Coordinates of all heavy atoms in Angstrom, one line a residue:
M1148 N -94.3 23.9 55.2 CA -95.5 23.6 55.9 C -95.1 23.5 57.4 O -94.7 22.5 57.9 CB -95.9 22.2 55.4 CG -97.2 21.8 56.1 SD -97.7 20.0 55.9 CE -97.0 19.6 54.3
L1149 N -95.3 24.6 58.1 CA -95.0 24.7 59.5 C -96.1 24.0 60.4 O -95.8 23.4 61.3 CB -94.8 26.1 60.0 CG -93.6 26.8 59.4 CD1 -93.5 28.3 59.8 CD2 -92.3 26.1 59.8
S1150 N -97.3 24.2 59.9 CA -98.4 23.7 60.7 C -99.4 23.1 59.8 O -100.4 23.8 59.3 CB -99.1 24.8 61.5 OG -100.1 24.3 62.3
P1151 N -99.3 21.8 59.5 CA -100.2 21.2 58.5 C -101.6 21.1 59.0 O -101.8 21.0 60.2 CB -99.6 19.8 58.3 CG -98.9 19.5 59.5 CD -98.3 20.8 60.0
K1152 N -102.6 21.1 58.2 CA -104.0 20.9 58.6 C -104.2 19.5 59.2 O -104.9 19.4 60.1 CB -104.9 21.2 57.3 CG -106.3 21.1 57.7 CD -107.1 21.5 56.4 CE -108.6 21.3 56.7 NZ -109.4 21.6 55.4
Y1153 N -103.6 18.6 58.5 CA -103.7 17.2 59.0 C -102.3 16.6 59.1 O -101.4 16.8 58.2 CB -104.5 16.3 58.1 CG -106.0 16.6 58.0 CD1 -106.5 17.2 56.9 CD2 -106.8 16.3 59.1 CE1 -107.9 17.6 56.8 CE2 -108.2 16.6 59.0 CZ -108.7 17.2 57.9 OH -110.0 17.6 57.8
H1154 N -102.1 15.7 60.1 CA -100.8 15.0 60.2 C -101.2 13.5 60.3 O -101.9 13.1 61.3 CB -100.1 15.4 61.5 CG -98.6 15.0 61.4 ND1 -97.6 15.6 62.2 CD2 -98.0 14.0 60.7 CE1 -96.5 15.0 61.9 NE2 -96.7 14.1 61.1
V1155 N -100.8 12.7 59.4 CA -101.1 11.3 59.3 C -99.9 10.5 59.8 O -98.8 10.6 59.3 CB -101.4 10.9 57.8 CG1 -101.7 9.4 57.7 CG2 -102.6 11.8 57.3
F1156 N -100.2 9.7 60.8 CA -99.2 8.8 61.3 C -99.5 7.4 60.9 O -100.6 6.9 61.2 CB -99.1 8.9 62.9 CG -98.6 10.3 63.4 CD1 -99.5 11.3 63.6 CD2 -97.3 10.5 63.5 CE1 -99.1 12.5 64.1 CE2 -96.8 11.8 63.9 CZ -97.8 12.8 64.2
V1157 N -98.5 6.7 60.3 CA -98.7 5.3 59.9 C -97.8 4.5 60.6 O -96.5 4.7 60.6 CB -98.5 5.2 58.3 CG1 -98.7 3.7 57.9 CG2 -99.4 6.1 57.5
C1158 N -98.3 3.5 61.4 CA -97.4 2.6 62.1 C -96.6 1.7 61.1 O -97.3 0.9 60.4 CB -98.2 1.7 63.1 SG -97.1 0.5 63.9
T1159 N -95.3 1.8 61.1 CA -94.5 0.9 60.3 C -93.7 0.0 61.3 O -92.6 -0.5 60.9 CB -93.6 1.6 59.3 OG1 -92.8 2.6 60.0 CG2 -94.5 2.3 58.3
S1160 N -94.1 0.0 62.5 CA -93.4 -0.8 63.5 C -91.9 -0.5 63.7 O -91.1 -1.4 63.9 CB -93.5 -2.3 63.1 OG -94.8 -2.6 62.7
C1161 N -91.6 0.8 63.6 CA -90.2 1.2 63.8 C -89.7 1.0 65.2 O -90.4 1.3 66.1 CB -90.1 2.7 63.5 SG -90.2 3.1 61.7
R1162 N -88.6 0.4 65.3 CA -88.0 0.2 66.6 C -87.0 1.3 66.9 O -86.5 2.0 66.0 CB -87.3 -1.2 66.7 CG -88.2 -2.3 66.3 CD -89.3 -2.5 67.4 NE -90.4 -3.3 67.0 CZ -90.5 -4.6 67.1 NH1 -89.5 -5.2 67.7 NH2 -91.5 -5.3 66.7
I1163 N -86.6 1.4 68.2 CA -85.7 2.5 68.6 C -84.4 2.4 67.8 O -83.8 3.4 67.5 CB -85.4 2.3 70.2 CG1 -86.6 2.5 71.0 CG2 -84.2 3.2 70.6 CD1 -87.1 3.9 71.0
N1164 N -83.9 1.2 67.5 CA -82.7 1.0 66.8 C -82.8 1.3 65.3 O -81.9 1.1 64.5 CB -82.0 -0.4 67.0 CG -82.9 -1.5 66.4 OD1 -83.9 -1.2 65.8 ND2 -82.5 -2.7 66.7
G1165 N -84.0 1.7 64.8 CA -84.2 2.0 63.4 C -84.7 0.9 62.6 O -85.1 1.1 61.4
T1166 N -84.7 -0.3 63.1 CA -85.3 -1.4 62.3 C -86.8 -1.3 62.3 O -87.4 -0.8 63.2 CB -84.9 -2.8 62.8 OG1 -85.3 -2.9 64.1 CG2 -83.4 -2.9 62.8
Q1167 N -87.4 -1.9 61.2 CA -88.9 -2.0 61.1 C -89.2 -3.4 61.2 O -88.9 -4.2 60.3 CB -89.4 -1.4 59.8 CG -89.1 0.1 59.8 CD -89.5 0.8 58.5 OE1 -89.2 0.2 57.5 NE2 -90.2 1.9 58.6
K1168 N -89.8 -3.8 62.3 CA -90.1 -5.2 62.5 C -91.3 -5.3 63.5 O -91.3 -4.8 64.6 CB -88.9 -5.9 63.2 CG -88.9 -7.3 63.4 CD -87.6 -7.8 64.0 CE -87.6 -9.3 64.3 NZ -86.4 -9.7 65.0
G1169 N -92.4 -5.9 63.0 CA -93.6 -6.0 63.8 C -94.8 -6.3 63.0 O -94.7 -6.4 61.8
F1170 N -95.9 -6.2 63.6 CA -97.2 -6.6 63.0 C -97.6 -5.7 61.8 O -97.8 -6.2 60.7 CB -98.3 -6.7 64.1 CG -99.5 -7.4 63.6 CD1 -99.6 -8.8 63.6 CD2 -100.6 -6.7 63.1 CE1 -100.7 -9.4 63.1 CE2 -101.7 -7.3 62.6 CZ -101.8 -8.7 62.7
C1171 N -97.6 -4.4 62.1 CA -98.0 -3.5 61.0 C -97.1 -3.6 59.8 O -97.5 -3.6 58.7 CB -98.1 -2.1 61.5 SG -99.5 -1.9 62.7
H1172 N -95.8 -3.7 60.1 CA -94.8 -3.8 59.0 C -95.0 -5.1 58.3 O -95.0 -5.1 57.0 CB -93.4 -3.8 59.6 CG -92.3 -3.9 58.6 ND1 -91.7 -5.1 58.3 CD2 -91.8 -2.9 57.8 CE1 -90.8 -4.8 57.4 NE2 -90.8 -3.6 57.0
S1173 N -95.3 -6.2 59.0 CA -95.5 -7.5 58.3 C -96.8 -7.5 57.4 O -96.9 -8.3 56.6 CB -95.5 -8.6 59.3 OG -96.7 -8.6 60.1
K1174 N -97.7 -6.5 57.7 CA -98.9 -6.5 56.9 C -98.8 -5.3 55.9 O -99.9 -4.9 55.4 CB -100.1 -6.3 57.8 CG -100.4 -7.5 58.7 CD -101.7 -7.5 59.4 CE -102.8 -7.9 58.5 NZ -104.1 -7.9 59.2
G1175 N -97.6 -4.9 55.5 CA -97.5 -4.0 54.4 C -97.6 -2.5 54.7 O -97.9 -1.7 53.8
S1176 N -97.4 -2.1 55.9 CA -97.7 -0.7 56.2 C -96.7 0.3 55.6 O -97.0 1.4 55.4 CB -97.7 -0.5 57.8 OG -96.5 -0.8 58.3
V1177 N -95.5 -0.2 55.3 CA -94.6 0.7 54.6 C -95.2 1.1 53.2 O -95.1 2.2 52.8 CB -93.2 0.0 54.4 CG1 -92.3 0.8 53.4 CG2 -92.5 -0.2 55.7
D1178 N -95.8 0.1 52.6 CA -96.5 0.5 51.3 C -97.6 1.5 51.5 O -97.9 2.3 50.6 CB -97.1 -0.8 50.6 CG -95.9 -1.7 50.2 OD1 -94.8 -1.3 50.0 OD2 -96.2 -2.9 50.1
L1179 N -98.3 1.5 52.7 CA -99.3 2.4 53.0 C -98.8 3.8 53.0 O -99.4 4.8 52.5 CB -100.0 2.1 54.3 CG -100.8 0.8 54.5 CD1 -101.4 0.8 55.9 CD2 -101.9 0.7 53.4
V1180 N -97.6 4.0 53.5 CA -97.0 5.3 53.6 C -96.8 5.9 52.2 O -97.2 7.0 51.9 CB -95.6 5.3 54.3 CG1 -94.9 6.7 54.3 CG2 -95.8 4.8 55.8
Q1181 N -96.2 5.0 51.3 CA -96.0 5.5 49.9 C -97.4 5.8 49.2 O -97.5 6.8 48.5 CB -95.3 4.3 49.2 CG -95.0 4.7 47.7 CD -94.1 5.8 47.6 OE1 -93.2 6.0 48.4 NE2 -94.3 6.7 46.6
R1182 N -98.4 4.9 49.5 CA -99.7 5.1 48.9 C -100.3 6.4 49.4 O -100.9 7.2 48.6 CB -100.6 3.9 49.2 CG -101.9 3.9 48.5 CD -101.7 3.6 47.0 NE -102.9 3.9 46.2 CZ -103.9 3.0 46.1 NH1 -103.9 1.8 46.6 NH2 -105.0 3.4 45.4
F1183 N -100.2 6.7 50.7 CA -100.7 8.0 51.2 C -100.0 9.2 50.5 O -100.7 10.1 50.1 CB -100.5 8.2 52.7 CG -101.6 7.7 53.6 CD1 -101.5 6.5 54.3 CD2 -102.8 8.5 53.6 CE1 -102.6 6.1 55.1 CE2 -103.9 8.1 54.4 CZ -103.8 6.9 55.1
M1184 N -98.7 9.1 50.3 CA -98.0 10.2 49.6 C -98.5 10.4 48.2 O -98.7 11.5 47.8 CB -96.5 9.9 49.7 CG -96.0 9.6 51.0 SD -95.2 10.8 51.9 CE -93.5 10.8 51.5
E1185 N -98.7 9.3 47.5 CA -99.2 9.4 46.1 C -100.6 9.9 46.1 O -100.9 10.8 45.2 CB -99.2 8.0 45.5 CG -97.8 7.5 45.3 CD -97.7 6.0 44.9 OE1 -98.8 5.4 44.8 OE2 -96.6 5.5 44.7
E1186 N -101.5 9.5 46.9 CA -102.9 9.9 46.9 C -103.0 11.4 47.3 O -103.8 12.2 46.7 CB -103.8 9.1 47.8 CG -104.0 7.7 47.3 CD -104.9 7.7 46.1 OE1 -105.7 8.6 45.9 OE2 -104.7 6.7 45.3
I1187 N -102.2 11.8 48.3 CA -102.2 13.2 48.7 C -101.7 14.1 47.6 O -102.2 15.2 47.4 CB -101.4 13.3 50.0 CG1 -102.1 12.7 51.2 CG2 -101.0 14.8 50.3 CD1 -101.3 12.4 52.4
D1188 N -100.7 13.6 46.9 CA -100.2 14.4 45.8 C -101.2 14.5 44.7 O -101.5 15.5 44.1 CB -98.9 13.7 45.3 CG -98.1 14.6 44.3 OD1 -98.1 15.8 44.5 OD2 -97.6 14.0 43.3
D1189 N -101.8 13.3 44.4 CA -102.9 13.3 43.3 C -104.0 14.3 43.6 O -104.6 14.9 42.7 CB -103.5 11.9 43.2 CG -102.5 10.9 42.4 OD1 -101.5 11.4 41.9 OD2 -102.9 9.7 42.4
K1190 N -104.4 14.4 44.9 CA -105.5 15.2 45.3 C -105.1 16.7 45.6 O -105.9 17.5 46.0 CB -106.2 14.6 46.5 CG -106.7 13.2 46.3 CD -107.9 13.1 45.4 CE -108.5 11.7 45.4 NZ -107.6 10.6 44.8
D1191 N -103.8 16.9 45.3 CA -103.3 18.3 45.5 C -103.4 18.8 46.9 O -103.8 19.9 47.2 CB -103.9 19.3 44.5 CG -103.1 20.5 44.2 OD1 -101.9 20.4 44.4 OD2 -103.7 21.5 43.9
L1192 N -103.1 17.9 47.8 CA -103.2 18.2 49.3 C -101.9 18.3 50.0 O -101.8 18.4 51.2 CB -104.1 17.1 50.0 CG -105.6 17.0 49.5 CD1 -106.2 15.8 50.1 CD2 -106.3 18.3 50.0
T1193 N -100.8 18.3 49.2 CA -99.5 18.3 49.8 C -99.2 19.5 50.7 O -98.4 19.3 51.7 CB -98.4 18.2 48.8 OG1 -98.6 19.2 47.8 CG2 -98.4 16.8 48.1
S1194 N -99.8 20.6 50.5 CA -99.6 21.8 51.4 C -100.4 21.7 52.7 O -100.1 22.5 53.6 CB -99.9 23.1 50.6 OG -101.2 23.1 50.2
D1195 N -101.3 20.8 52.7 CA -102.2 20.7 53.9 C -101.9 19.4 54.8 O -102.3 19.4 55.9 CB -103.6 20.6 53.5 CG -104.2 21.9 52.9 OD1 -103.6 22.9 53.3 OD2 -105.1 21.8 52.2
V1196 N -101.2 18.4 54.2 CA -101.1 17.2 54.9 C -99.6 16.7 55.0 O -98.9 16.7 54.1 CB -101.9 16.1 54.2 CG1 -101.8 14.7 55.0 CG2 -103.3 16.5 54.0
M1197 N -99.3 16.3 56.2 CA -97.9 15.7 56.5 C -98.1 14.2 56.8 O -99.1 13.9 57.5 CB -97.2 16.4 57.6 CG -95.9 15.9 58.0 SD -95.1 16.8 59.3 CE -94.6 18.2 58.4
V1198 N -97.3 13.4 56.3 CA -97.3 11.9 56.6 C -96.0 11.5 57.2 O -94.9 11.8 56.8 CB -97.5 11.1 55.3 CG1 -97.6 9.6 55.6 CG2 -98.8 11.6 54.5
T1199 N -96.2 10.8 58.4 CA -95.0 10.3 59.1 C -95.2 8.8 59.5 O -96.3 8.4 59.9 CB -94.9 11.1 60.4 OG1 -94.8 12.5 60.1 CG2 -93.7 10.7 61.2
N1200 N -94.1 8.1 59.3 CA -94.2 6.7 59.8 C -93.7 6.6 61.3 O -92.9 7.5 61.7 CB -93.3 5.7 59.0 CG -91.9 6.0 59.0 OD1 -91.4 7.2 58.9 ND2 -91.1 5.0 59.3
T1201 N -94.3 5.7 62.0 CA -94.1 5.7 63.5 C -93.8 4.3 64.0 O -93.9 3.3 63.2 CB -95.3 6.2 64.2 OG1 -96.3 5.1 64.2 CG2 -95.9 7.4 63.7
G1202 N -93.5 4.2 65.3 CA -93.4 3.0 65.9 C -94.7 2.5 66.4 O -95.8 3.1 66.1
C1203 N -94.7 1.4 67.2 CA -95.9 0.7 67.6 C -96.8 1.6 68.4 O -96.4 2.3 69.3 CB -95.5 -0.5 68.3 SG -96.9 -1.5 69.0
F1204 N -98.1 1.5 68.1 CA -99.1 2.2 68.9 C -99.7 1.3 70.1 O -100.5 1.8 70.8 CB -100.3 2.7 68.1 CG -100.0 3.8 67.2 CD1 -100.0 3.7 65.8 CD2 -99.8 5.1 67.7 CE1 -99.8 4.7 64.9 CE2 -99.5 6.2 66.8 CZ -99.5 6.0 65.5
G1205 N -99.3 0.1 70.1 CA -99.7 -0.8 71.2 C -101.0 -1.5 70.9 O -101.5 -2.2 71.9
I1206 N -101.5 -1.5 69.8 CA -102.7 -2.2 69.4 C -102.5 -3.0 68.1 O -103.2 -2.9 67.2 CB -104.0 -1.3 69.3 CG1 -103.7 -0.1 68.4 CG2 -104.4 -0.8 70.7 CD1 -105.0 0.6 68.0
C1207 N -101.4 -3.8 68.2 CA -101.0 -4.5 67.0 C -102.0 -5.3 66.3 O -102.0 -5.5 65.1 CB -99.7 -5.3 67.3 SG -98.5 -4.4 68.3
D1208 N -102.9 -5.9 67.1 CA -103.9 -6.8 66.5 C -104.9 -6.1 65.6 O -105.6 -6.7 64.9 CB -104.7 -7.6 67.6 CG -105.4 -6.7 68.6 OD1 -104.9 -5.6 68.9 OD2 -106.5 -7.1 69.0
K1209 N -104.9 -4.7 65.7 CA -105.8 -3.9 64.9 C -105.0 -3.4 63.6 O -105.5 -2.5 62.9 CB -106.3 -2.8 65.6 CG -107.1 -3.2 66.9 CD -108.5 -3.2 66.7 CE -109.3 -3.3 68.0 NZ -109.8 -4.6 68.3
G1210 N -103.7 -3.7 63.5 CA -102.9 -3.1 62.5 C -103.2 -3.7 61.1 O -103.9 -4.7 60.9
P1211 N -102.7 -2.9 60.1 CA -102.0 -1.7 60.2 C -102.8 -0.5 60.8 O -104.0 -0.4 60.4 CB -101.6 -1.4 58.8 CG -101.6 -2.7 58.1 CD -102.7 -3.5 58.7
V1212 N -102.2 0.2 61.6 CA -102.9 1.3 62.3 C -102.4 2.7 61.7 O -101.2 2.9 61.5 CB -102.5 1.3 63.8 CG1 -103.1 2.5 64.5 CG2 -103.1 0.0 64.5
V1213 N -103.4 3.6 61.5 CA -103.2 4.9 61.0 C -103.9 5.9 62.0 O -105.1 5.7 62.3 CB -103.7 5.1 59.6 CG1 -103.7 6.5 59.1 CG2 -103.0 4.2 58.6
V1214 N -103.2 6.9 62.4 CA -103.8 7.9 63.3 C -103.7 9.3 62.7 O -102.6 9.6 62.1 CB -103.1 7.9 64.7 CG1 -103.7 9.0 65.6 CG2 -103.1 6.5 65.3
I1215 N -104.8 10.0 62.7 CA -104.8 11.3 62.0 C -105.1 12.4 63.1 O -106.1 12.3 63.8 CB -105.8 11.4 60.9 CG1 -105.4 10.3 59.8 CG2 -105.8 12.8 60.3 CD1 -106.4 10.3 58.7
Y1216 N -104.2 13.4 63.1 CA -104.4 14.6 64.0 C -104.7 15.8 63.1 O -104.3 15.8 61.9 CB -103.1 14.8 64.8 CG -103.0 13.8 66.0 CD1 -102.2 12.7 65.8 CD2 -103.8 14.0 67.1 CE1 -102.2 11.8 66.9 CE2 -103.7 13.1 68.2 CZ -102.9 12.0 68.0 OH -102.8 11.1 69.0
P1217 N -105.5 16.8 63.6 CA -105.6 17.1 65.0 C -106.7 16.4 65.7 O -106.8 16.5 66.9 CB -105.9 18.6 64.9 CG -106.7 18.8 63.7 CD -106.0 17.8 62.7
E1218 N -107.6 15.6 65.0 CA -108.7 15.0 65.7 C -108.3 13.9 66.6 O -109.1 13.6 67.5 CB -109.8 14.5 64.7 CG -110.3 15.5 63.8 CD -109.6 15.5 62.4 OE1 -108.4 15.1 62.4 OE2 -110.2 15.9 61.4
G1219 N -107.2 13.2 66.3 CA -106.9 12.0 67.0 C -107.7 10.8 66.6 O -108.2 10.0 67.4
T1220 N -108.0 10.7 65.3 CA -108.8 9.7 64.8 C -107.9 8.4 64.5 O -106.8 8.6 63.9 CB -109.4 10.1 63.4 OG1 -110.2 11.3 63.6 CG2 -110.3 9.0 62.9
W1221 N -108.3 7.3 65.0 CA -107.6 6.1 64.9 C -108.3 5.1 63.9 O -109.5 4.8 64.1 CB -107.4 5.3 66.2 CG -106.5 6.0 67.2 CD1 -106.6 7.3 67.6 CD2 -105.4 5.5 67.8 NE1 -105.6 7.6 68.5 CE2 -104.8 6.5 68.7 CE3 -104.8 4.2 67.8 CZ2 -103.7 6.3 69.4 CZ3 -103.7 4.0 68.6 CH2 -103.1 5.0 69.4
Y1222 N -107.6 4.7 62.9 CA -108.1 3.7 61.9 C -107.3 2.4 62.0 O -106.1 2.5 62.2 CB -107.9 4.3 60.5 CG -108.8 5.5 60.2 CD1 -108.3 6.6 59.7 CD2 -110.2 5.4 60.3 CE1 -109.0 7.7 59.4 CE2 -111.0 6.5 60.0 CZ -110.4 7.7 59.5 OH -111.2 8.7 59.2
G1223 N -108.0 1.3 61.9 CA -107.3 0.0 62.0 C -107.6 -0.9 60.8 O -108.6 -0.7 60.0
N1224 N -106.8 -1.9 60.7 CA -106.8 -2.9 59.6 C -106.9 -2.1 58.2 O -107.6 -2.5 57.3 CB -108.1 -3.8 59.7 CG -108.0 -4.5 61.0 OD1 -107.1 -5.3 61.3 ND2 -109.0 -4.3 61.8
V1225 N -106.0 -1.1 58.1 CA -106.0 -0.3 56.9 C -105.3 -1.0 55.8 O -104.2 -1.5 56.0 CB -105.4 1.1 57.2 CG1 -105.3 1.9 55.9 CG2 -106.1 1.8 58.3
T1226 N -105.9 -1.1 54.6 CA -105.3 -1.7 53.5 C -104.9 -0.6 52.5 O -105.3 0.6 52.6 CB -106.3 -2.7 52.8 OG1 -107.3 -1.9 52.2 CG2 -106.8 -3.7 53.7
E1227 N -104.2 -1.0 51.4 CA -103.8 0.0 50.4 C -105.1 0.6 49.7 O -105.1 1.7 49.4 CB -102.9 -0.6 49.3 CG -101.5 -0.7 49.8 CD -100.5 -1.0 48.6 OE1 -100.5 -0.1 47.7 OE2 -99.8 -2.0 48.6
D1228 N -106.1 -0.3 49.6 CA -107.3 0.2 49.0 C -108.1 1.2 49.8 O -108.8 2.0 49.3 CB -108.3 -1.0 48.7 CG -107.8 -1.9 47.6 OD1 -106.9 -1.4 46.8 OD2 -108.2 -3.1 47.5
D1229 N -107.9 1.1 51.2 CA -108.5 2.1 52.1 C -107.9 3.5 52.0 O -108.5 4.4 52.4 CB -108.4 1.6 53.5 CG -109.2 0.3 53.7 OD1 -110.3 0.1 53.1 OD2 -108.7 -0.5 54.6
V1230 N -106.6 3.5 51.6 CA -105.9 4.8 51.6 C -106.7 5.9 50.7 O -106.9 7.0 51.2 CB -104.5 4.6 51.1 CG1 -103.8 6.0 51.0 CG2 -103.7 3.8 52.2
E1231 N -107.1 5.5 49.6 CA -107.8 6.4 48.7 C -109.0 7.0 49.4 O -109.3 8.2 49.3 CB -108.1 5.8 47.4 CG -108.8 6.8 46.4 CD -109.0 6.2 45.0 OE1 -108.8 5.0 44.8 OE2 -109.5 6.9 44.1
T1232 N -109.8 6.1 50.0 CA -111.0 6.5 50.8 C -110.7 7.5 51.9 O -111.4 8.5 52.1 CB -111.7 5.2 51.3 OG1 -111.9 4.3 50.3 CG2 -113.0 5.6 52.0
I1233 N -109.6 7.2 52.7 CA -109.3 8.0 53.8 C -108.8 9.4 53.2 O -109.2 10.5 53.8 CB -108.1 7.4 54.6 CG1 -108.6 6.2 55.3 CG2 -107.5 8.4 55.6 CD1 -107.5 5.3 56.0
V1234 N -108.1 9.4 52.2 CA -107.6 10.7 51.6 C -108.8 11.5 51.1 O -109.0 12.7 51.4 CB -106.6 10.5 50.5 CG1 -106.3 11.8 49.8 CG2 -105.3 9.9 51.1
E1235 N -109.7 10.8 50.3 CA -110.9 11.5 49.7 C -111.8 12.0 50.8 O -112.3 13.1 50.8 CB -111.6 10.6 48.8 CG -110.9 10.4 47.4 CD -111.7 9.5 46.5 OE1 -112.8 9.0 46.8 OE2 -111.2 9.3 45.4
K1236 N -112.2 11.1 51.7 CA -113.2 11.5 52.7 C -112.7 12.3 53.9 O -113.2 13.4 54.2 CB -113.9 10.2 53.3 CG -114.9 9.6 52.2 CD -115.6 8.4 52.8 CE -116.8 8.8 53.6 NZ -117.6 7.7 54.0
H1237 N -111.6 11.8 54.5 CA -111.2 12.5 55.7 C -110.3 13.7 55.4 O -110.6 14.8 55.9 CB -110.3 11.5 56.5 CG -110.0 12.0 57.9 ND1 -110.2 11.2 59.1 CD2 -109.6 13.2 58.4 CE1 -109.9 11.9 60.1 NE2 -109.5 13.1 59.7
L1238 N -109.3 13.5 54.6 CA -108.3 14.6 54.3 C -108.9 15.7 53.4 O -108.5 16.9 53.5 CB -107.0 14.0 53.9 CG -106.4 13.0 54.8 CD1 -105.1 12.5 54.2 CD2 -106.1 13.6 56.2
A1239 N -109.7 15.3 52.4 CA -110.2 16.3 51.5 C -111.5 16.9 51.9 O -111.8 18.1 51.7 CB -110.3 15.6 50.1
E1240 N -112.4 16.0 52.5 CA -113.7 16.5 52.9 C -114.0 16.6 54.4 O -115.0 17.1 54.8 CB -114.8 15.5 52.3 CG -114.7 15.4 50.8 CD -115.6 14.4 50.2 OE1 -116.5 13.8 50.9 OE2 -115.5 14.1 49.0
G1241 N -113.0 16.2 55.2 CA -113.2 16.3 56.7 C -114.1 15.4 57.3 O -114.6 15.6 58.4
E1242 N -114.5 14.3 56.6 CA -115.4 13.3 57.1 C -114.6 12.0 57.5 O -113.8 11.5 56.8 CB -116.4 12.8 56.1 CG -117.5 13.8 55.9 CD -118.5 13.2 54.8 OE1 -118.8 12.0 54.9 OE2 -118.9 14.0 53.9
K1243 N -114.9 11.5 58.7 CA -114.2 10.3 59.2 C -114.7 9.1 58.4 O -115.9 9.1 58.0 CB -114.4 10.1 60.7 CG -113.7 11.1 61.5 CD -114.0 10.9 63.0 CE -113.3 12.0 63.7 NZ -113.5 12.0 65.2
V1244 N -113.9 8.1 58.2 CA -114.3 6.9 57.5 C -114.7 5.9 58.6 O -113.9 5.2 59.2 CB -113.1 6.3 56.7 CG1 -113.6 5.1 55.9 CG2 -112.6 7.4 55.7
K1245 N -116.0 5.9 58.9 CA -116.6 5.2 60.0 C -116.2 3.7 60.0 O -116.0 3.2 61.1 CB -118.1 5.4 60.1 CG -118.5 6.8 60.4 CD -120.0 7.0 60.6 CE -120.3 8.4 61.0 NZ -120.8 9.2 60.0
E1246 N -116.2 3.1 58.9 CA -116.0 1.6 58.9 C -114.6 1.2 59.3 O -114.4 0.0 59.6 CB -116.4 1.0 57.5 CG -115.7 1.6 56.3 CD -116.4 2.8 55.7 OE1 -117.1 3.5 56.4 OE2 -116.2 3.0 54.5
L1247 N -113.7 2.2 59.3 CA -112.3 1.9 59.7 C -111.9 2.3 61.1 O -110.8 2.1 61.5 CB -111.3 2.5 58.7 CG -111.4 2.0 57.2 CD1 -110.5 2.8 56.3 CD2 -111.0 0.5 57.1
L1248 N -112.8 3.0 61.7 CA -112.5 3.5 63.1 C -112.3 2.4 64.1 O -113.0 1.4 64.1 CB -113.7 4.4 63.6 CG -113.9 5.7 62.9 CD1 -115.2 6.4 63.4 CD2 -112.7 6.7 63.1
I1249 N -111.3 2.7 65.0 CA -111.1 1.7 66.1 C -111.1 2.5 67.4 O -111.0 3.7 67.4 CB -109.8 1.0 65.9 CG1 -108.6 1.9 65.7 CG2 -109.9 -0.1 64.8 CD1 -107.2 1.2 65.6
Ligands
LIG1037 S1 -96.8 -2.7 65.3 FE1 -98.3 -1.3 64.6 S2 -99.6 -1.0 66.4 FE2 -98.1 -2.4 67.1

């Protein structure tokens, strides 16, 4: 996959030294990464979507934060239950999940 259709960035509060420590991490964002991978696999979208964990986006009070490119869509307060909705609506159908936009 040289150029995925979508690139999903999930803040896991990664620090420069490699540790994960911060607001999004404390609210279970590492589990969101795993959930995205499972849902993307279930929907047979693995050839179109890349998922990457990241450091802080600077809006911790809205975390866990998920950003999707190429649109540059920012989602906040994302829960594990929201992941299925994001994958179904945004990644499979190209529709933003309005209630999660920040
Ligand atoms: S720790 Fe996730 S936005 Fe700051």
Side-chain angles (χ1 to χ4, degrees):
M1148 183 191 330
L1149 292 177
S1150 182
K1152 184 175 177 185
Y1153 292 109
H1154 198 158
V1155 178
F1156 294 92
V1157 179
C1158 176
T1159 56
S1160 317
C1161 288
R1162 302 295 164 91
I1163 295 290
N1164 67 4
T1166 61
Q1167 293 175 319
K1168 187 177 175 186
F1170 195 80
C1171 292
H1172 181 262
S1173 72
K1174 293 190 81 179
S1176 62
V1177 171
D1178 294 335
L1179 295 182
V1180 175
Q1181 182 63 36
R1182 189 71 193 275
F1183 266 108
M1184 309 260 271
E1185 291 167 1
E1186 288 293 330
I1187 287 164
D1188 191 41
D1189 283 353
K1190 304 288 186 295
D1191 202 22
L1192 295 169
T1193 52
S1194 59
D1195 291 336
V1196 183
M1197 179 177 283
V1198 180
T1199 302
N1200 66 310
T1201 75
C1203 178
F1204 287 114
I1206 51 169
C1207 313
D1208 61 322
K1209 305 258 194 260
V1212 174
V1213 173
V1214 180
I1215 300 180
Y1216 284 97
E1218 299 97 333
T1220 303
W1221 288 55
Y1222 292 123
N1224 301 302
V1225 177
T1226 66
E1227 281 198 60
D1228 290 340
D1229 295 327
V1230 171
E1231 184 176 3
T1232 305
I1233 293 171
V1234 172
E1235 281 181 3
K1236 286 183 84 174
H1237 192 132
L1238 302 179
E1240 298 174 12
E1242 283 182 42
K1243 292 179 183 176
V1244 182
K1245 293 189 176 100
E1246 58 269 27
L1247 295 174
L1248 289 173
I1249 52 176

